[in-house]
């Protein structure tokens, strides 16, 4: 195992010995930087999230998901910005904080980018450990196409729904301008006090308390071509990501726990 692989494979364990969900250090650092830029005190963020700054230096390193959630909560309070998670999705640049963003950006079409997002998404943030199916699904129903976030217990951390959908919609808008993508947003959590930020960022109908976390999308979106990039670079990135994914899987095996 390489030094980087060993660092990742060290993993995190809960008191009961089970593997604990993690997020990439690059993802957590981007959130901390955003909270600080909005007025939060960095030292207080560190103390309340129990995140060591040294653990954020290598963006491929891992920190426990519970620490990231604590960081989000502290960031919202210390910056006095209840919509911080929406802003995290709106303003953060995935290619800058994760190899997953680079791979999606180097894909040929939006359909391929979607496939790669599902394949490597755990490198950014782990949810539903042991889930046999993809986190995101394309579902056709009654003549409509939905991009569904199918993770379990989404309302335990609705900020993840907010940041994920805001990032998807804002990224497509930045890259492709007025090309059709999402037409409506559905979320399972209740309407928050910062509803106005939903309207500003999404600029489309938003349904709260829905039976699904999903984007109603245009059928033509999957065929949109992404601006050309080097397929050689795509291959190199994928090879590196495969190594990271393998070490992440290894850290969650019974063999590693023993």
């Amino acid at each position: 195992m390489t030094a980087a692989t060993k660092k990742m494979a060290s993993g995190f364990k809960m008191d009961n010995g089970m593997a604990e969900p993690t997020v990439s250090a690059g993802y957590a650092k981007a959130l901390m930087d955003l909270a600080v830029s909005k007025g939060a005190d960095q030292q207080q963020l560190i103390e309340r999230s129990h995140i060591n700054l040294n653990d954020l230096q290598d963006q491929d390193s891992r920190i426990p998901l519970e620490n990231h959630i604590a960081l989000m909560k502290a960031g919202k309070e210390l910056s006095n910005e209840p919509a911080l998670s929406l802003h995290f999705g709106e303003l953060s640049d995935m290619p800058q904080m994760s190899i997953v963003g680079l791979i999606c950006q180097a894909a040929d079409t939006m359909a391929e980018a979607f496939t790669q997002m599902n394949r490597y998404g755990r490198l950014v943030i782990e949810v539903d450990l042991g889930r046999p199916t993809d986190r995101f699904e394309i579902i056709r129903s009654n003549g409509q196409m939905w991009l569904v976030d199918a993770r379990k217990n989404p309302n335990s951390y609705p900020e993840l729904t907010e940041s994920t959908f805001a990032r998807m919609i804002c990224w497509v808008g930045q890259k492709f301008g007025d090309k059709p993508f999402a037409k409506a947003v559905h979320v399972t959590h209740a309407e928050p006090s910062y509803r106005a930020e939903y309207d500003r960022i999404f600029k489309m109908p938003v349904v709260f308390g829905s039976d699904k976390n999903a984007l109603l999308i245009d059928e033509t979106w999957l065929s949109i071509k992404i601006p050309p990039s080097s397929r050689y670079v795509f291959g190199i990135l994928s090879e590196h990501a495969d190594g990271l994914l393998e070490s992440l899987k290894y850290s969650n095996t019974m063999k590693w726990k023993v």
Side-chain angles (χ1 to χ4, degrees):
M1 297 172 69
T2 65
T5 302
K6 288 179 180 178
K7 187 172 185 180
M8 176 174 286
S10 62
F12 295 91
K13 307 294 183 294
M14 295 184 287
D15 291 340
N16 60 10
M18 298 295 289
E20 179 179 2
T22 60
V23 305
S24 71
Y27 191 70
K29 185 177 186 302
L31 176 57
M32 182 175 289
D33 290 346
L34 177 64
V36 170
S37 74
K38 289 183 172 293
D41 180 79
Q42 185 178 67
Q43 188 56 42
Q44 290 188 58
L45 289 172
I46 292 170
E47 292 173 357
R48 291 176 59 172
S49 66
H50 303 288
I51 293 175
N52 188 321
L53 279 183
N54 291 331
D55 293 335
L56 302 183
Q57 299 309 306
D58 178 357
Q59 72 172 22
D60 289 333
S61 295
R62 314 294 299 178
I63 67 167
L65 174 60
E66 65 178 6
N67 292 59
H68 176 79
I69 294 175
L71 175 62
M72 176 66 78
K73 180 179 179 180
K76 292 169 70 171
E77 294 178 359
L78 295 173
S79 67
N80 193 31
E81 182 49 81
L84 182 65
S85 52
L86 283 177
H87 297 168
F88 184 42
E90 175 191 21
L91 301 174
S92 58
D93 186 358
M94 184 60 77
Q96 291 295 319
M97 62 183 175
S98 172
I99 190 174
V100 180
L102 291 171
I103 290 174
C104 291
Q105 190 168 264
D108 184 50
T109 64
M110 290 306 301
E112 183 181 2
F114 176 78
T115 298
Q116 302 305 327
M117 177 181 66
N118 259 335
R119 180 180 182 184
Y120 296 116
R122 289 183 58 213
L123 294 180
V124 180
I125 182 167
E126 288 185 292
V127 294
D128 300 346
L129 286 182
R131 178 184 175 87
T133 56
D134 293 333
R135 172 183 168 187
F136 296 102
E137 302 172 355
I138 298 292
I139 296 177
R140 289 177 172 82
S141 175
N142 298 321
Q144 296 178 320
M145 178 183 284
W146 295 89
L147 190 161
V148 180
D149 182 346
R151 75 186 192 278
K152 298 177 182 177
N153 305 316
N155 289 357
S156 65
Y157 186 36
E159 290 88 350
L160 179 56
T161 304
E162 294 179 327
S163 61
T164 299
F165 285 171
R167 185 172 297 110
M168 287 179 175
I169 289 174
C170 291
W171 183 81
V172 172
Q174 292 163 7
K175 293 294 181 182
F176 304 102
D178 58 357
K179 287 190 177 181
F181 173 45
K183 299 185 284 188
V185 180
H186 280 233
V187 294
T188 55
H189 55 267
E191 180 176 321
S193 60
Y194 45 90
R195 166 62 189 268
E197 284 299 275
Y198 273 83
D199 297 331
R200 181 186 68 81
I201 292 172
F202 293 124
K203 298 180 177 64
M204 63 188 69
V206 180
V207 176
F208 296 93
S210 175
D211 61 347
K212 56 185 174 293
N213 288 300
L215 301 178
L216 176 61
I217 62 176
D218 192 283
E219 188 94 17
T220 62
W221 170 71
L222 292 173
S223 62
I224 292 177
K225 299 284 286 187
I226 296 176
S229 62
S230 170
R231 299 304 288 175
Y232 173 76
V233 170
F234 178 84
I236 294 296
L237 291 171
S238 298
E239 182 178 352
H240 179 57
D242 283 336
L244 294 173
L245 193 60
E246 184 63 27
S247 60
L248 185 59
K249 292 178 181 177
Y250 177 72
S251 70
N252 288 331
T253 62
M254 181 58 69
K255 180 179 178 180
W256 177 259
K257 296 169 193 172
V258 172

